[in-house]
Amino acid sequence: MESAPKCFLLFLLLNSLVQFAQCSVIYDRKGLIINGQRKLIFSGSIHYPRSSPDMWEELIQKAKDGGLDAIDTYVFWNLHEPSPGNYNFEGRNDLVRFVKLIQEAGLYLHLRIGPYVCAEWNFGGFPVWLKYIPGITFRTDNEPFKVRERERERVDMLNLETKNFGAAGHSYMSWAAKMAVDLDTGVPWVMCKEDDAPDPVINSCNGFYCDYFSPNKPYKPTMWTEAWTGWFEEFGGPIHHRPVEDLAFAVARFIQKGGSFINYYMYHGGTNFGRTAGGPFVTTSYDYDAPIDEYGLPRQPKYNHLKELHTAIKLCGRTLVDADPTVTNLGNYEQAHIFTSKSGHCTAFLSNYHWDASARVTFNKMHYDLPPWSISILPDCKTVAFNTATMRSKTSLPQMLPTNVQMVSWETFNEDISSSDNDARITVVGLLEQLNVTRDASDYLWYTTSVQISPAESFLRGGQGPVLSVDSAGHALHVFVNGKFLGSAFGTQENKKFTFSKSANFHAGVNSIELLSVNMGLPNIGHRFETWNTGVLGPVSLHGLDHGTQDLSWQKWSYKVGMTGEAMDLYSPSKISSVDWMKASLAVDSQQPLTWYKAYFNSPNGNEPLALDMSSMGKGQAWVNGQSIGRYWTANAEGQCNGCSYKGTYRQGKCQDGCGKPTQRWYHVPRSWLKPSQNLLIVFEEIGGDASKISLVKRSLAYK
């Protein structure tokens, strides 16, 4: 691969012009043409905020060493403009630094500017404040939305994400395409999953397979913007694996049909730090079964097998992008795709589409053995350089090993459920939608009301107390009556709405009901997802009273956004001394809900990636030295964990793993966040756990 800087786009970021090496980029039906040369490009998605800046250079280099020509990333609007007109390009948000590192590595950049990114990212990358602009509707022919999009076009890039809906959506898509082209960036624009993308914008394919795809005009190149290397995880769901034999087979199928741009989504998935995970219920880990794992280590054999594929394709020279294939049937399930250049150079792809049976075929008077569901690549039409189902690499076995680092000086701080912090509360009649109140400033919203129980109620003289029933639109709920924990209920990705129902100990007189509604990430996909509801929308009712059922939905409710500890910035090292911490008896506190834990630890020796083992805890959030490692939840995985074969069509329901165990046990802690000693760990536990068993582990690879 060339070491000289590749061509970049001009982009204007916060009104500061940064110009990189420029070159001519055009296209024809066979591919992108850069400085007069048609290219077949392998790209890989690495999202800059999903890893720490100290990891970026090594990740980019590993991508280059793996045979990639380009790095692909989204631009996350809600990260960079958290409030209108206020911008953040620091730390993990330092897009300019990330882009410069790609340039220094001599790679191309495929920058996907949105405004919508999906990506299992909170609110699909849209800032929540956008929802509250009067008259706005997302991703449609809506003037308030288009005004904001014009304002955000401070970054002129390559890939425009619209993914619109309906006639008004089509009108918006056409407007967005024209706006992008009129920016005159000097590079082609791409719209993924837009079959009607207007000229000169290139429409492209996303999916597990894209060999069926053709662009909407015969003079556009065939581009695969998301070749899914695996799948994401949801709390309570299984771990997904995509066999690399099938992934390589899919890529070879795409290339033999004339594809010239392949972007692996993801090449390195990384971590959903903080509250950036969307879904809802998407895990903090965004590993994605990618060739480079969440911690930055190569996943074998996936990494090496794809590297060998890229090498074999590049041995074919320019033939693949200069010639069209001739297809010859070699059997019922077997074909040859033969590329012959004007100079006479020949390249062939021999394919066996049978999902179970091997085949022996004859091609150019020679015999070739093809494993099931595989393609052999013959750069010279004679010698097999690579077969998609033939493994040469060892398998890496990740191990989470103890560091022997001790967590010391444990202290706790308990949330006061009955606290009457009237200044932080609002009181209205009826139940309010959660996001409308919190504006996503916190995952947590308190719903508080009271109910008068007559001394004459029969249950007070013996028998079961009335049943409190709460209908929630999602995503989780913790219920307290008179300050005592009654229980919890949770939704799922498939069924976000749920009902909590349980008998409670009410007494005569006034009783308080405190409902803590918990957000598990805002939706990132779906028609008009910005209008979807969450929180306690009712009905909330008491069943089993002498007079029947009492509906509490339309009485006065008080609302408080967030936890007291959040308001105190309790996880901030600079605020830690202002909190009245209690010396912890962790055995006593292990099942205490809504508890903050504090401890200190020293940084372990070595350079292995680190993680917190949270298997002893329930559900909550954690911070190290003020940096949020994300949401944790030890919900056990349910799925179909019945083994795995590469053969046959892959879907995310295939090759599942981890059933009966927590979907995510370990939570990445970047070493760059640590000091040599006195590192501050803060954990907020919602439902109860044993903090004394939290441990710091290191990730290591063994091989077989």
Side-chain angles (χ1 to χ4, degrees):
M1 187 176 293
E2 299 169 1
S3 59
K6 298 290 179 77
C7 68
F8 271 66
L9 318 176
L10 293 179
F11 69 98
L12 188 62
L13 184 57
L14 294 179
N15 300 318
S16 175
L17 188 65
V18 182
Q19 184 170 334
F20 296 105
Q22 297 180 68
C23 56
S24 166
V25 185
I26 57 175
Y27 66 79
D28 64 11
R29 67 181 184 88
K30 292 294 292 179
L32 296 176
I33 301 171
I34 302 174
N35 285 341
Q37 283 199 331
R38 196 179 289 118
K39 300 281 188 179
L40 193 156
I41 295 175
F42 290 106
S43 172
S45 290
I46 300 175
H47 295 161
Y48 54 98
R50 282 177 158 145
S51 54
S52 55
D54 68 297
M55 296 174 64
W56 291 346
E57 185 173 3
E58 185 174 353
L59 291 172
I60 293 166
Q61 187 60 48
K62 285 179 179 176
K64 182 176 181 178
D65 293 343
L68 298 193
D69 310 292
I71 300 297
D72 168 286
T73 186
Y74 279 120
V75 176
F76 300 86
W77 187 359
N78 54 8
L79 276 190
H80 296 301
E81 195 177 5
S83 60
N86 295 310
Y87 300 98
N88 182 352
F89 288 86
E90 304 296 325
R92 293 197 317 277
N93 301 346
D94 193 346
L95 174 60
V96 173
R97 178 182 173 188
F98 185 72
V99 169
K100 287 181 176 180
L101 288 171
I102 296 169
Q103 181 196 30
E104 290 169 3
L107 298 177
Y108 299 119
L109 172 68
H110 183 224
L111 199 55
R112 306 170 71 177
I113 69 167
Y116 169 62
V117 302
C118 188
E120 293 71 57
W121 189 266
N122 195 53
F123 221 41
F126 289 119
V128 169
W129 55 260
L130 192 71
K131 170 184 169 74
Y132 297 100
I133 292 176
I136 201 164
T137 303
F138 288 10
R139 295 186 291 161
T140 189
D141 191 13
N142 172 264
E143 194 58 32
F145 184 71
K146 293 193 293 186
V147 166
R148 286 304 310 171
E149 186 165 343
R150 279 192 293 264
E151 291 175 356
R152 78 173 285 275
E153 290 306 327
R154 292 170 168 83
V155 188
D156 305 343
M157 305 296 183
L158 183 63
N159 196 101
L160 184 67
E161 301 289 328
T162 55
K163 301 177 186 176
N164 63 81
F165 301 95
H170 179 271
S171 177
Y172 158 69
M173 181 270 296
S174 300
W175 169 85
K178 183 179 185 305
M179 181 186 67
V181 172
D182 287 348
L183 290 170
D184 194 24
T185 60
V187 293
W189 288 81
V190 179
M191 281 185 175
C192 69
K193 299 179 68 174
E194 288 291 353
D195 293 340
D196 50 358
D199 285 355
V201 175
I202 305 165
N203 65 307
S204 63
C205 181
N206 293 354
F208 291 116
Y209 307 93
C210 279
D211 51 300
Y212 65 87
F213 171 78
S214 296
N216 60 15
K217 294 293 173 60
Y219 45 80
K220 294 180 181 180
T222 304
M223 300 181 66
W224 191 357
T225 39
E226 290 187 13
W228 297 335
T229 59
W231 201 245
F232 59 91
E233 271 69 60
E234 302 160 5
F235 287 113
I239 306 300
H240 301 90
H241 299 290
R242 185 179 187 186
V244 69
E245 300 98 321
D246 176 71
L247 177 57
F249 181 55
V251 172
R253 283 166 59 173
F254 181 72
I255 293 173
Q256 73 178 7
K257 291 287 292 290
S260 61
F261 179 95
I262 301 97
N263 177 65
Y264 296 106
Y265 188 100
M266 299 292 294
Y267 199 75
H268 163 73
T271 306
N272 291 315
F273 295 113
R275 298 189 302 113
T276 58
F281 300 104
V282 170
T283 57
T284 295
S285 171
Y286 198 66
D287 182 86
Y288 219 89
D289 199 41
I292 302 174
D293 73 14
E294 176 183 6
Y295 298 86
L297 302 176
R299 171 174 279 111
Q300 302 293 11
K302 187 168 279 189
Y303 178 87
N304 276 354
H305 196 59
L306 292 178
K307 180 179 180 178
E308 292 169 10
L309 168 65
H310 305 151
T311 299
I313 293 295
K314 290 173 183 179
L315 287 173
C316 301
R318 300 182 49 79
T319 306
L320 297 176
V321 291
D322 287 347
D324 292 318
T326 300
V327 182
T328 301
N329 289 326
L330 304 176
N332 292 333
Y333 295 92
E334 300 81 38
Q335 286 183 333
H337 287 70
I338 307 156
F339 296 79
T340 305
S341 67
K342 292 180 179 179
S343 63
H345 185 266
C346 178
T347 288
F349 288 59
L350 307 184
S351 54
N352 176 11
Y353 293 100
H354 200 285
W355 56 94
D356 194 41
S358 298
R360 168 163 280 203
V361 299
T362 301
F363 174 71
N364 280 352
K365 299 180 180 180
M366 297 179 66
H367 298 298
Y368 296 89
D369 292 318
L370 300 176
W373 203 251
S374 77
I375 292 175
S376 286
I377 299 172
L378 288 62
D380 59 359
C381 280
K382 296 178 182 178
T383 306
V384 176
F386 179 83
N387 177 270
T388 59
T390 302
M391 278 299 136
R392 298 171 182 166
S393 176
K394 292 182 178 181
T395 298
S396 57
L397 303 173
Q399 301 173 308
M400 306 305 276
L401 304 175
T403 60
N404 298 318
V405 166
Q406 299 297 312
M407 303 287 177
V408 299
S409 303
W410 283 103
E411 293 183 307
T412 63
F413 174 84
N414 295 320
E415 291 281 334
D416 185 356
I417 298 162
S418 61
S419 172
S420 56
D421 187 359
N422 293 323
D423 291 341
R425 294 180 182 267
I426 60 171
T427 301
V428 298
V429 173
L431 297 165
L432 300 179
E433 196 277 335
Q434 182 166 343
L435 187 59
N436 287 340
V437 181
T438 67
R439 303 294 175 100
D440 202 34
S442 170
D443 279 353
Y444 305 105
L445 178 63
W446 284 103
Y447 293 71
T448 303
T449 192
S450 61
V451 60
Q452 182 81 31
I453 299 295
S454 168
E457 284 288 341
S458 300
F459 77 88
L460 294 173
R461 296 186 296 275
Q464 183 178 3
V467 173
L468 176 62
S469 176
V470 183
D471 280 13
S472 172
H475 307 134
L477 182 69
H478 307 308
V479 179
F480 300 81
V481 173
N482 294 322
K484 297 186 181 300
F485 181 57
L486 183 61
S488 300
F490 308 95
T492 65
Q493 178 64 267
E494 293 74 24
N495 298 294
K496 299 173 183 64
K497 296 181 180 180
F498 59 90
T499 299
F500 173 91
S501 185
K502 190 172 182 179
S503 175
N505 292 322
F506 289 94
H507 56 70
V510 177
N511 295 257
S512 64
I513 297 173
E514 299 94 0
L515 309 177
L516 181 60
S517 182
V518 186
N519 164 45
M520 287 297 292
L522 298 179
N524 58 269
I525 191 170
H527 181 54
R528 298 291 309 282
F529 67 74
E530 75 275 12
T531 66
W532 296 0
N533 292 328
T534 189
V536 178
L537 298 182
V540 177
S541 53
L542 277 182
H543 303 273
L545 298 173
D546 289 348
H547 63 273
T549 297
Q550 182 174 347
D551 189 347
L552 308 178
S553 306
W554 288 100
Q555 61 184 43
K556 283 187 177 181
W557 287 84
S558 294
Y559 298 86
K560 179 185 174 184
V561 176
M563 310 307 299
T564 300
E566 289 181 295
M568 299 168 67
D569 288 335
L570 186 148
Y571 40 78
S572 171
S574 63
K575 301 292 181 64
I576 203 72
S577 60
S578 62
V579 179
D580 291 329
W581 293 93
M582 301 289 292
K583 292 292 184 183
S585 173
L586 297 182
V588 174
D589 292 331
S590 63
Q591 297 306 315
Q592 178 71 30
L594 306 189
T595 300
W596 296 81
Y597 296 91
K598 174 174 72 75
Y600 292 92
F601 64 95
N602 294 335
S603 181
N605 295 327
N607 58 6
E608 301 95 337
L610 302 174
L612 284 175
D613 183 345
M614 302 295 289
S615 58
S616 65
M617 303 303 287
K619 180 181 180 299
Q621 299 181 41
W623 295 259
V624 172
N625 291 332
Q627 300 263 20
S628 173
I629 67 168
R631 304 181 182 102
Y632 69 85
W633 190 11
T634 53
N636 284 341
E638 298 180 3
Q640 301 296 321
C641 300
N642 300 320
C644 182
S645 170
Y646 81 88
K647 293 174 281 189
T649 301
Y650 180 82
R651 291 293 181 262
Q652 61 266 35
K654 186 179 178 181
C655 296
Q656 298 182 354
D657 192 17
C659 294
K661 302 175 183 178
T663 303
Q664 185 172 356
R665 173 178 176 177
W666 296 288
Y667 294 80
H668 183 205
V669 180
R671 276 191 177 265
S672 60
W673 291 6
L674 301 184
K675 306 177 294 182
S677 61
Q678 284 293 100
N679 293 287
L680 173 66
L681 171 65
I682 298 291
V683 175
F684 175 59
E685 172 58 47
E686 298 173 20
I687 56 181
D690 187 351
S692 68
K693 295 180 181 177
I694 295 174
S695 63
L696 189 70
V697 297
K698 57 186 178 183
R699 189 171 179 89
S700 178
L701 297 181
Y703 293 90
K704 68 173 183 179

